[in-house]
Amino acid sequence: MKKIIFSIVLFVSLFHSVNSVAQTNTKVTQVFTLIYNTRFDEAEKLLESADFHTESFYFQVLKLDLFWWKYSISKSKADEEKLNTVLNWFSEQDQNSKYSETNKLIWLSYKMRFEVKRKNYLKAYLLKSEVEDQLEVVMKNPMNLPESQQNLLSVFVLLLQYSHEAGSVFGKDSVKQVCLKELQKFASYTDLIVSSEAHYFLGRIYTKMEKEPQKGRIHFQVLSERFPQNQLFADLATGKATDF
């Protein structure tokens, strides 16, 4: 157990300081803000502009995030098909680059969540083991990424590690607490994307997994203030929404 905790802390601490001030650039933050304010058409238009493709890591992640949120809110068949298309596109990106293992982890986890949303639980269960195997690969082989990108990856890894412990009969509460503590650190960062993702994951964990919705609402209140056009965040902040 101590080895597991050490590996989590080591992976995260290799790439962030206590008071990180690393920032993503303005256009990346602008697209992220549009997505989280549910202004999807504007976000897609800006994301598809020619100069954005130089931001390979963020272009791919934000494109996936855009269609994930669009489908999650609308739950329409058309948006489901678009998200599935983007998931297939994402799986083919950077297969021979330094991002290949990270992209595979991101793709597998989104694919698993997608199957859960579609209530295809058997496929989601089969994907779960692939996610856990790929998480181990990424944690054993950390990449030398720009700090803002590595911080975002660390937040994502902490969510998956927490989920692994929470979903296992052998899961350790001490490991979950380490993940929550590290996510809290990232939530306090000045980087809007890293901080907001950490707040969302904490809100989701406390609401759905820890069964402490009052703690979850604290994080959704922060998100609702940051992204006032997002009605889902507003409903989560007041406890009106539970299906997300």
Side-chain angles (χ1 to χ4, degrees):
M1 181 177 68
K2 289 182 179 179
K3 184 178 179 181
I4 296 172
I5 294 174
F6 177 75
S7 66
I8 296 169
V9 174
L10 177 62
F11 178 86
V12 174
S13 64
L14 279 172
F15 300 101
H16 80 86
S17 59
V18 175
N19 294 302
S20 174
V21 293
Q23 295 287 332
T24 51
N25 71 42
T26 303
K27 61 185 177 182
V28 170
T29 302
Q30 186 178 357
V31 171
F32 179 84
T33 302
L34 287 170
I35 293 172
Y36 274 60
N37 270 315
T38 67
R39 293 163 61 179
F40 301 126
D41 291 342
E42 294 172 70
E44 185 174 4
K45 184 177 180 180
L46 185 58
L47 192 59
E48 293 298 336
S49 63
D51 62 336
F52 207 103
H53 291 229
T54 60
E55 294 286 344
S56 177
F57 175 84
Y58 284 111
F59 172 72
Q60 294 165 25
V61 171
L62 287 175
K63 184 170 182 177
L64 181 55
D65 212 32
L66 165 65
F67 286 96
W68 172 264
W69 276 104
K70 195 171 183 181
Y71 167 61
S72 294
I73 289 176
S74 75
K75 295 182 173 63
S76 73
K77 188 66 177 178
D79 284 333
E80 177 184 332
E81 292 173 357
K82 287 180 182 177
L83 175 57
N84 197 38
T85 298
V86 173
L87 280 165
N88 291 334
W89 166 85
F90 189 90
S91 69
E92 299 169 355
Q93 304 306 303
D94 292 328
Q95 292 183 342
N96 298 309
S97 78
K98 66 179 181 180
Y99 294 110
S100 59
E101 299 297 348
T102 301
N103 275 5
K104 185 176 180 181
L105 175 64
I106 294 171
W107 173 74
L108 283 169
S109 62
Y110 269 87
K111 184 70 173 175
M112 179 181 69
R113 292 167 64 194
F114 182 51
E115 297 303 340
V116 170
K117 277 189 177 292
R118 297 200 293 183
K119 296 182 171 31
N120 190 345
Y121 298 121
L122 177 58
K123 191 164 187 178
Y125 178 78
L126 295 174
L127 283 165
K128 183 175 181 289
S129 62
E130 292 188 60
V131 170
E132 291 172 351
D133 289 344
Q134 190 61 25
L135 175 60
E136 186 174 351
V137 170
V138 170
M139 290 185 69
K140 285 183 176 179
N141 301 281
M143 295 185 298
N144 183 21
L145 295 173
E147 187 178 3
S148 59
Q149 295 182 17
Q150 185 58 52
N151 287 340
L152 187 58
L153 175 60
S154 295
V155 168
F156 193 70
V157 167
L158 286 165
L159 170 69
L160 294 178
Q161 186 64 53
Y162 174 91
S163 299
H164 168 71
E165 295 298 322
S168 171
V169 294
F170 303 108
K172 304 294 185 180
D173 187 66
S174 56
V175 177
K176 292 193 297 180
Q177 292 307 311
V178 168
C179 293
L180 291 173
K181 183 179 179 180
E182 294 298 324
L183 282 171
Q184 290 283 2
K185 290 181 182 179
F186 283 115
S188 69
Y189 275 23
T190 56
D191 185 307
L192 178 70
I193 297 178
V194 170
S195 173
S196 297
E197 290 286 3
H199 275 295
Y200 177 73
F201 291 156
L202 285 165
R204 187 176 181 86
I205 287 170
Y206 280 120
T207 301
K208 285 186 167 289
M209 305 174 86
E210 291 289 313
K211 306 301 181 185
E212 296 184 69
Q214 71 282 4
K215 288 186 178 181
R217 286 197 289 270
I218 293 172
H219 297 285
F220 291 127
Q221 286 165 6
V222 172
L223 293 173
S224 184
E225 290 172 2
R226 289 182 182 178
F227 309 106
Q229 297 175 48
N230 191 313
Q231 188 58 48
L232 176 60
F233 287 161
D235 289 343
L236 289 169
T238 57
K240 293 180 180 179
T242 55
D243 181 19
F244 66 103

